[in-house]
Amino acid sequence: MVWGTNAPQTRSFTALPGKIMKRKKVYRPGVRDGYDMWAPSYDDTPNPLVALDRRYTLNCLTAKPAGYILDAGCGTGAHLLALRRAGSQPVGVDLSMGMLRIARDRLPGIPLAQANLNEGLPLARGVFDAAVCSLVSEHLTNLRVFFADTLSVLRAGGRLVFSAFHPEMAAAGVEANFEANGCEYRLGAEHHTVEDYVDYIHDAGFRNVRCEEYSVDAELVERIPRAKKYLGHPLLLIIQALHPKCSAV
């Protein structure tokens, strides 16, 4: 995602010598509509958070890459593609039909469904070997429902890999945003804490919960120069947990 700080939603102007310079107009279309609008250009947007996520998140599944894997919040299907190439049988759900259309065109044959993760998963219980939820944390308003439902669709010993926009960034006012047609669209960020995630995951019934955070490094700045302002700061949080019937990570 592209990240920016909170700003007024009204039109404003800055006076410069001899002229008036108009600032970009800022809109807040809501999460579903915003990602529908962003979908066609999402994968073309240089994004340090997404780059970190694609570097680290799926590596957490290397111990068992095969089997049925849920991608909750699959977006345009980048992780679905990687999972299929690794020999898994992935299934994707997402709130945005615009994102799902991109994923469907890219990955014909992979089961996809629209779902609001805050309202539960429209999936059979106890069928998945693992669940990945990548970079939708800041849009989760009902952590209790999401983590409980995720546990219910996993088999005994199933693994959860939950990658999140680091709470420190959200607390600082940074949020998902993109530009289109000369306007800026901001999609908000819920102010959860690391403790919120860990507590709700544990309360849902997961065990062996562990967290790791990942910061912007020089290699990432070389690839995405505008990431320099985040150099050394944690952007990505990954939490792993297991279905309680398995005792070792």
Side-chain angles (χ1 to χ4, degrees):
M1 300 175 181
V2 183
W3 303 101
T5 55
N6 292 327
Q9 300 179 43
T10 56
R11 198 173 193 170
S12 58
F13 298 87
T14 299
L16 295 177
K19 65 178 180 179
I20 299 292
M21 180 178 178
K22 185 173 67 176
R23 292 180 180 171
K24 291 176 183 174
K25 199 167 185 178
V26 174
Y27 293 95
R28 294 187 176 276
V31 176
R32 186 198 307 261
D33 291 343
Y35 281 101
D36 284 348
M37 296 172 61
W38 196 358
S41 62
Y42 184 83
D43 289 325
D44 297 325
T45 305
N47 189 318
L49 178 64
V50 171
L52 283 175
D53 177 70
R54 294 181 183 176
R55 185 194 295 180
Y56 293 112
T57 297
L58 290 189
N59 287 340
C60 298
L61 295 175
T62 52
K64 190 175 182 180
Y68 287 97
I69 299 182
L70 169 64
D71 187 348
C74 64
T76 60
H79 284 332
L80 294 173
L81 177 60
L83 289 168
R84 186 167 71 177
R85 286 174 173 169
S88 303
Q89 299 181 69
V91 174
V93 299
D94 200 274
L95 176 66
S96 165
M97 282 302 301
M99 291 284 190
L100 288 170
R101 289 188 187 100
I102 302 293
R104 180 195 61 200
D105 292 343
R106 171 187 284 174
L107 300 164
I110 290 182
L112 301 171
Q114 186 179 30
N116 185 336
L117 302 185
N118 295 302
E119 298 175 358
L121 297 167
L123 301 166
R125 311 289 98 169
V127 299
F128 289 95
D129 298 289
V132 177
C133 181
S134 174
L135 304 186
V136 298
S137 59
E138 71 271 29
H139 305 308
L140 293 176
T141 58
N142 196 333
L143 296 176
R144 186 180 306 278
V145 165
F146 172 69
F147 289 121
D149 235 42
T150 302
L151 180 76
S152 74
V153 303
L154 289 173
R155 293 175 176 166
R159 181 186 298 269
L160 168 66
V161 178
F162 180 78
S163 75
F165 175 42
H166 200 286
E168 288 184 9
M169 293 291 105
V174 184
E175 63 181 288
N177 71 81
F178 67 99
E179 295 182 9
N181 302 317
C183 298
E184 184 177 354
Y185 296 87
R186 300 192 173 196
L187 307 184
E190 297 292 323
H191 291 182
H192 302 305
T193 65
V194 176
E195 291 75 18
D196 290 336
Y197 295 133
V198 171
D199 288 347
Y200 278 106
I201 289 171
H202 189 272
D203 289 348
F206 286 99
R207 295 296 181 264
N208 302 89
V209 181
R210 68 182 192 187
C211 304
E212 293 185 60
E213 57 184 31
Y214 300 89
S215 300
V216 172
D217 56 20
E219 179 185 348
L220 187 59
V221 171
E222 186 174 354
R223 288 177 50 204
I224 305 175
R226 65 183 186 79
K228 185 176 181 179
K229 61 184 176 181
Y230 300 121
L231 184 63
H233 293 284
L235 279 189
L236 182 70
L237 174 74
I238 296 181
I239 303 177
Q240 297 184 60
L242 293 180
H243 191 286
K245 292 188 178 180
C246 186
S247 61
V249 176

